[in-house]
Amino acid sequence: MHITSVVLLLLLVTAVSGPIARLLRVPLPLLLITCGVVASLLGLNVAFEPETFLLLFIPPLLFSDAYLMPLREFQELRWPILLLAVGLVIFSTLVGGYFIHWLLPVVPLAAAFALAAILSPTDPVAVGSMIDADRVLRRFLHILQGEALLNDASGLVCFKFAVAATITGTFSILHASFGFVLVAVGGILVGIALTFGFNFANRILSRHGFDEPTTQITLMTLLPFAAYLLAEHMELSGILAAVSAGLSLNQSRVFGSAQTATRLRGSAVWEMITFVFNGLVFLLLGLQLPDIAKQGIDLANRAGDS
């Protein structure tokens, strides 16, 4: 099947899965994953490189979550969010590391901590997709969304500590902490700087009568990709750059001096992007599951034979 037909088919399944999920009263992500598994078993294969997937889906989805988050609630709940984003990740890393080492003694403890650090941060894409906003308290929902956006930093520092200990046998807390702060803060500053430049250019154009919604929204759509690519090129955190760009644009109320119609259209565009991309993420996950399960079974059989 041609790649164009595959993309159109995935978009169609994403669009019609919403009403079907409501009719069947099942979570939409589970329905999409099931559709992906069925399509894979029927012979539909989609090859996707991890780097391409990370660039195409993660920056806009993180940017969208940050951009659409209510800032007043985020500021009011900043301490519970920070406690979960830092404390819970560290706790999950420690407990998960010891559990993995107990379950697989051949895995060194430091390597087990590294694996647990990868798994400990909550995925903001999954949080936003799995929760039914109509059945969850708004305060609880805002805490989970805020924590999911910020826990990448604490998960990264835990991972760096564990990797350093695995490679060298020892590590310097001061050196690793400095490196983490540089990567995290640098990524945040990149996102803020690009958003500031975007707003500044937009104000200049608006003063001269070039307040065209389609052009501005198109440029805003490219903003998370620019923040992510620039930060990664500078060996900083592209994920935090995309998040900070979304929060900065949210703080500036989208376009500053832009027309109300432009701001409303921008919000509608990002809601559509979030819906479509979330659906594609879970469909692609379902498409990959049979191959992942097959590879896991093969590895288990080889380990049993040896």
Side-chain angles (χ1 to χ4, degrees), residues 60-105:
L61 287 175
L62 291 177
F63 179 92
S64 177
D65 287 341
Y67 170 68
L68 298 175
M69 175 176 292
L71 285 182
R72 185 180 65 180
E73 288 79 0
F74 181 79
Q75 294 174 354
E76 292 176 352
L77 300 171
R78 59 185 180 277
W79 293 117
I81 289 174
L82 290 176
L83 181 62
L84 289 173
V86 178
L88 181 60
V89 169
I90 295 176
F91 175 80
S92 300
T93 301
L94 293 175
V95 174
Y98 280 113
F99 176 76
I100 293 173
H101 182 66
W102 171 80
L103 186 65
L104 301 171

Side-chain angles (χ1 to χ4, degrees), residues 4 26 48 97 111 129 144 166-167 176 187 191 229:
T4 304
V26 297
F48 227 91
S129 302
L144 289 180
T166 303
I167 295 176
L229 290 174

Side-chain angles (χ1 to χ4, degrees), residues 180-191:
F180 160 73
V181 171
L182 180 63
V183 170
V185 175
I188 293 173
L189 292 178
V190 167

